[in-house]
Amino acid sequence: MSLEHTIYGSPVFQQACRQFDLAADILEMEPGLRDRTKQPRRCVVVTLPVRLDSGKIESFEGYRVQHNLSTGPAKGGIRFHQDVTLGEVAALAMWMSWKCSLVGLPFGGAKGGVVVNARDMSPQELERLSRRYIQEIAPFIGPQVDIPAPDVGTNEQVMAWMMDTYSNHVGHYDPGIITGKPIALGGSLGRREATGEGVAWFTKAYLADLGIKAADTTVVIQGFGNVGGETALALESWGAKIIGISDFTGGITNPKGINVREALDYSAKNRSLQGCTGGDPVNNAELLELPCTVLIPAALERVITRENAPRLRCRLLAEAANGPTTNEADKIIAERGDIELIPDVLCNSGGVIVSYFEWLQNLQNYYWSKQEVFEKLHRQLAQAKTAVDEAQARHQCSRRTAALVLGIARVADAKAKRGLFP
Ligand code: NAD
């Protein structure tokens, strides 16, 4: 069945499907199992009427796509963004399935989204929207069914409101419903840093394979939110020079190195990097083509394209964002042969790994130190890197396809062994 023309049909969903097909070809998956593994299991579309501060009522559209529930409860973030589509959420849910499987977590994959520009909302409006979204999807989620988390446009405070809403719905405190919560509400130490810490860990590991040292490393990062900011801090403290950063307003570049802490403080105070004096202004298109050792897209999908892929001037492309590279750009990068790519499902897996730790701590009501969290995280990242490097050598394919082969094979195997009901 061609999924490209279903309700999920969109460029980003097609991108995820093409990536899947390359891996499924290597696995020689028979058509029945192939379709069953690829298709999202189910989706919910909800209308969210919210009373604005003006008294006016505005309705927003929200989604939750559960791609795979065969290997455990589904897991995946919730995105608040004006350009969210059902197809995008489905693609992100699919990638969550392969990512959880690749790094050995007992989860399936899911993702949620609301079509809204949350930046334009007051905190009170944002709270009402967050609560209404969880209330509407409450019959479809649960600590043993589907466990959401933060993504673009959502944060710890949003997770707190969502956890509170769900807990009121079931009648008792239930922190295992969502991860990425504040520490006071059962959040895990290290979760806030986890995705960036993982991106930095893989960057350092692949630079070591290339024989490149911290002092010789320059870094450009697109997206200066949770993931971009934490990645910048981790790589700066390792000794690399962060020479370019950006957000939705554009960015700055400074060949002498940007002071990351100052830029973060500026961004928190002004709600964007616009006007930040830590470097020369640069737009997002120019930023991606700056000469650097490591280029880290940490914002949205499909920013590395057929147009700019030939012009990239990095040695390592570390995909902190999900889906930043189009299929065409993947091909160009492979043909160029001078750029090592760390694929999203591997590169940003630190976030969901520590989300898993948070869920475990919630279920056990027993909380770990940050050191324990990071030790376990690093061990799991190292195992995943070794497995992907071995699979790449075995199948003589790109690192992305090798990672997907591992992730997809485990999900398909679980489905085949569970059998088909009825
Ligand atoms: P965030 O909302 O905290 O930050 C997003 C950043 O991207 C902001 O700085 C925003 O201004 C910027 N941005 C938005 N549109 C842009 C554009 N057109 N050009 C340049 N910058 C733009 O989100 P986040 O949680 O940091 O997520 C970033 C990426 O990382 C997403 O792809 C997300 O799916 C992925 N990811 C996040 C996590 C997590 O734990 N939060 C885990 C794994 C993967």
Side-chain angles (χ1 to χ4, degrees):
M1 178 184 172
S2 165
L3 278 179
E4 275 89 341
H5 305 293
T6 62
I7 48 167
Y8 303 116
S10 66
V12 65
F13 188 67
Q14 273 177 21
Q15 178 186 329
C17 287
R18 298 271 149 76
Q19 293 177 355
F20 173 93
D21 287 338
L22 286 176
D25 286 347
I26 289 181
L27 288 165
E28 296 178 354
M29 281 171 80
E30 56 92 8
L33 184 62
R34 189 180 180 125
D35 270 359
R36 190 181 161 200
T37 307
K38 182 174 171 183
Q39 286 182 35
R41 174 81 170 256
R42 61 190 181 201
C43 71
V44 203
V45 180
V46 292
T47 301
L48 310 168
V50 174
R51 193 180 303 283
L52 304 181
D53 295 345
S54 65
K56 197 176 132 223
I57 293 171
E58 191 170 333
S59 291
F60 299 90
E61 192 161 277
Y63 315 107
R64 185 77 185 164
V65 178
Q66 293 166 349
H67 176 266
N68 160 38
L69 292 159
S70 300
T71 48
K75 186 92 193 73
I78 298 169
R79 179 171 294 191
F80 283 1
H81 193 275
Q82 61 276 14
D83 299 330
V84 162
T85 65
L86 181 59
E88 178 189 39
V89 175
L92 292 164
M94 201 192 265
W95 286 321
M96 282 307 294
S97 291
W98 317 143
K99 190 183 307 175
C100 291
S101 168
L102 166 64
V103 297
L105 304 182
F107 287 140
K111 206 82 179 193
V114 178
V115 190
V116 61
N117 185 353
R119 294 181 55 85
D120 288 349
M121 291 188 133
S122 71
Q124 294 73 24
E125 289 168 340
L126 186 61
E127 176 175 358
R128 291 195 282 273
L129 176 70
S130 305
R131 289 184 181 280
R132 187 66 193 234
Y133 174 73
I134 279 302
Q135 180 65 36
E136 291 301 329
I137 67 164
F140 305 95
I141 60 171
Q144 299 299 336
V145 182
D146 178 1
I147 307 135
D151 192 78
V152 174
T154 56
N155 56 24
E156 286 178 17
Q157 179 57 69
V158 171
M159 297 304 109
W161 290 324
M162 290 182 169
M163 189 281 279
D164 179 69
T165 306
Y166 186 83
S167 294
N168 279 301
H169 176 80
V170 293
H172 59 87
Y173 175 64
D174 205 354
I177 181 58
I178 208 159
T179 58
K181 302 178 294 292
I183 305 297
L185 293 173
S188 176
L189 293 170
R191 175 60 186 90
R192 185 183 305 171
E193 301 91 330
T195 311
E197 172 67 21
V199 172
W201 188 94
F202 281 118
T203 299
K204 291 186 266 181
Y206 280 103
L207 285 174
D209 289 353
L210 293 167
I212 299 173
K213 296 191 174 59
D216 301 323
T217 300
T218 55
V219 182
V220 169
I221 305 178
Q222 183 195 46
F224 205 51
N226 170 270
V227 178
E230 292 297 341
T231 302
L233 281 175
L235 288 175
E236 184 187 53
S237 75
W238 174 60
K241 217 188 278 177
I242 314 300
I243 60 162
I245 53 172
S246 75
D247 65 14
F248 75 105
T249 63
I252 54 170
T253 173
N254 184 345
K256 293 200 187 105
I258 292 161
N259 183 319
V260 176
R261 178 44 63 199
E262 279 177 20
L264 280 171
D265 289 346
Y266 181 92
S267 173
K269 197 163 154 222
N270 299 280
R271 299 188 71 213
S272 84
L273 283 169
Q274 202 167 25
C276 182
T277 53
D280 298 326
V282 63
N283 67 37
N284 266 296
E286 294 161 349
L287 180 106
L288 293 172
E289 296 176 22
L290 289 173
C292 58
T293 321
V294 190
L295 176 63
I296 308 185
L300 299 173
E301 303 87 40
R302 300 175 68 75
V303 294
I304 311 288
T305 62
R306 186 169 44 194
E307 283 73 37
N308 63 10
R311 297 197 296 264
L312 298 185
R313 286 185 284 174
C314 59
R315 184 70 186 90
L316 192 65
L317 176 58
E319 294 186 335
N322 287 303
T325 309
T326 64
N327 305 118
E328 296 85 0
D330 261 344
K331 238 172 158 180
I332 294 167
I333 288 168
E335 281 161 14
R336 282 181 55 158
D338 59 342
I339 296 177
E340 294 295 321
L341 186 150
I342 315 175
D344 49 7
V345 288
L346 183 66
C347 192
N348 66 35
S349 61
V352 73
I353 292 172
V354 178
S355 270
Y356 167 57
F357 297 160
E358 180 173 331
W359 179 72
L360 278 183
Q361 294 171 75
N362 296 152
L363 296 189
Q364 297 172 346
N365 244 321
Y366 177 71
Y367 288 84
W368 312 347
S369 68
K370 190 162 169 180
Q371 191 190 351
E372 197 175 348
V373 168
F374 275 14
E375 275 170 13
K376 287 186 162 77
L377 168 66
H378 294 157
R379 213 176 308 142
Q380 212 141 343
L381 297 176
Q383 279 169 4
K385 178 177 184 291
T386 303
V388 170
D389 290 348
E390 280 172 9
Q392 191 185 4
R394 193 164 61 247
H395 298 299
Q396 292 293 304
C397 59
S398 71
R399 193 171 286 117
R400 182 190 314 288
T401 301
L404 292 178
V405 161
L406 292 173
I408 291 167
R410 287 180 195 152
V411 175
D413 187 41
K415 283 185 185 285
K417 294 217 165 73
R418 280 186 71 156
L420 200 55
F421 179 86

